[in-house]
């Protein structure tokens, strides 16, 4: 888990790192990409700073509270120890850091249930609607997690309603899910390399709720 990699910040794109000579972006961008790629362009390529929305601030607060509650009873351990222990029992990990050097992605998984049969990768979301963008994000975590484990235990992707125990969507991270998410990640890398253009949404409802709508030259009328 504590492997050392050659890492440097990208010279022009915020939050992108260059790890072992490959661009590496936050897995949460797979969610933003599904909302509107152009938002990533405005924020991270053009460097426009806009205050976070109320729901973003609340989400961060809820995360911090859950993490603090979890830490009160949690026992510190290493990733390898967790893998070993979970061969015979169940363990829950929160805010597990994951990184795929191969696919150029990194992030923190909200929760991972490790059991003798499977790993359940859980992403907390507000609400109970399984948007394809949320699914892409959790599949991104599954892909990065898969690269970190030396074995072939089944991986399940799931979405949980924030602040509750309600898992409202779950699916195996199978071959098709893996292939599809690799294709999407490759598209993101092509955007970051400037090989293709960031696409703006054509959904006015998204523009209405977007925090960039006061400065975005590509916004739809709403
Ligand atoms: S205003 Fe609309 S087009 Fe512009 S970044 Fe936001 S969602 Fe995308």
């Amino acid at each position: 888990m504590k492997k050392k990699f050659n890492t440097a910040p990208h010279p022009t794109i915020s939050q992108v790192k260059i790890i072992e000579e490959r661009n590496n972006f936050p897995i949460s961008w797979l969610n933003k990409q599904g909302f509107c790629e152009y938002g990533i362009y405005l924020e991270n390529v053009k460097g426009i700073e806009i205050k976070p929305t109320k729901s973003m601030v609340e989400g961060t607060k809820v995360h911090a509270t859950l993490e603090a509650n979890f830490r009160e009873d949690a026992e510190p351990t290493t990733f390898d120890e967790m893998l070993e222990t979970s061969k015979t029992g169940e363990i829950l990990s929160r805010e597990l850091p994951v990184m795929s050097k191969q696919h150029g992605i990194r992030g923190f998984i909200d929760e991972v249930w490790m059991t003798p049969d499977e790993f359940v990768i859980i992403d907390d979301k507000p609400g109970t609607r399984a948007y394809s963008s949320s699914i892409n994000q959790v599949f991104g975590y599954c892909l990065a997690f898969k690269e970190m484990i030396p074995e072939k235990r089944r991986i399940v992707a799931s979405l949980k309603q924030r602040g509750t125990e309600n898992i409202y969507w779950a699916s195996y991270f199978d071959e098709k899910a893996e292939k599809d998410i690799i294709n999407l990640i490759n598209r993101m890398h092509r955007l970051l390399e400037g090989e293709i253009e960031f696409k703006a949404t054509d959904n006015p409802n998204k523009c209405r709720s977007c925090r960039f709508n006061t400065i975005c030259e590509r916004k739809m009328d709403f």
Side-chain angles (χ1 to χ4, degrees):
M1 190 77 178
K2 290 261 175 194
K3 271 187 218 155
K4 290 238 159 113
F5 296 106
N6 282 326
T7 304
H10 190 281
T12 57
I13 308 177
S14 65
Q15 294 186 50
V16 173
K17 291 184 182 176
I18 300 170
I19 299 181
E20 300 289 337
E21 297 177 8
R22 177 157 176 57
N23 281 342
N24 189 296
F25 66 87
I27 292 170
S28 57
W29 283 15
L30 297 172
N31 192 356
K32 293 183 179 184
Q33 186 275 343
F35 184 78
C36 177
E37 284 178 355
Y38 202 67
I40 298 175
Y41 170 78
L42 291 175
E43 182 168 20
N44 303 100
V45 180
K46 257 184 131 181
I48 290 172
E49 290 182 18
I50 298 269
K51 276 205 305 195
T53 60
K54 207 170 146 208
S55 73
M56 287 165 83
V57 173
E58 271 167 17
T60 307
K61 272 193 207 155
V62 174
H63 257 123
T65 308
L66 289 171
E67 176 71 359
N69 292 344
F70 176 78
R71 279 180 187 277
E72 276 180 16
D73 299 319
E75 287 176 30
T77 181
T78 66
F79 187 65
D80 289 342
E81 280 168 355
M82 284 194 288
L83 287 182
E84 198 51 43
T85 310
S86 66
K87 287 179 180 167
T88 51
E90 296 193 358
I91 329 187
L92 177 67
S93 172
R94 269 197 73 84
E95 296 296 323
L96 183 77
V98 284
M99 203 275 283
S100 164
K101 183 165 71 79
Q102 184 189 350
H103 297 292
I105 51 171
R106 65 181 196 282
F108 290 85
I109 306 178
D110 286 334
E111 291 179 29
V112 182
W113 263 112
M114 299 183 178
T115 79
D117 301 320
E118 61 192 17
F119 299 109
V120 184
I121 308 295
I122 302 169
D123 196 32
D124 284 352
K125 288 284 176 234
T128 55
R129 196 155 153 200
Y131 293 102
S132 58
S133 53
S134 307
I135 293 171
N136 288 339
Q137 182 179 359
V138 74
F139 279 155
Y141 291 129
C142 292
L143 184 68
F145 182 83
K146 188 176 174 188
E147 194 173 309
M148 290 169 46
I149 53 172
E151 49 172 301
K152 289 205 181 286
R153 243 181 279 179
R154 194 167 54 190
I155 297 178
V156 181
S158 62
L159 298 173
K160 191 174 83 163
Q161 186 179 8
R162 186 167 293 154
T164 75
E165 293 306 315
N166 176 25
I167 300 272
Y168 62 89
W169 176 89
S171 175
Y172 290 120
F173 184 58
D174 57 15
E175 251 178 62
K176 180 173 183 323
E178 182 168 347
K179 192 167 154 251
D180 289 349
I181 201 63
I182 289 173
N183 283 339
L184 182 63
I185 290 165
N186 289 342
R187 173 181 173 80
M188 290 291 294
H189 282 294
R190 293 182 67 210
L191 290 167
L192 299 175
E193 292 291 348
E195 291 171 13
I196 51 174
E197 283 194 5
F198 288 83
K199 215 170 141 199
T201 184
D202 56 7
N203 180 345
N205 291 329
K206 288 185 177 178
C207 293
R208 186 181 300 119
S209 62
C210 174
R211 66 199 172 105
F212 296 105
N213 66 15
T214 52
I215 51 91
C216 178
E217 69 282 10
R218 303 275 297 275
K219 78 171 172 219
M220 304 289 295
D221 285 337
F222 52 85

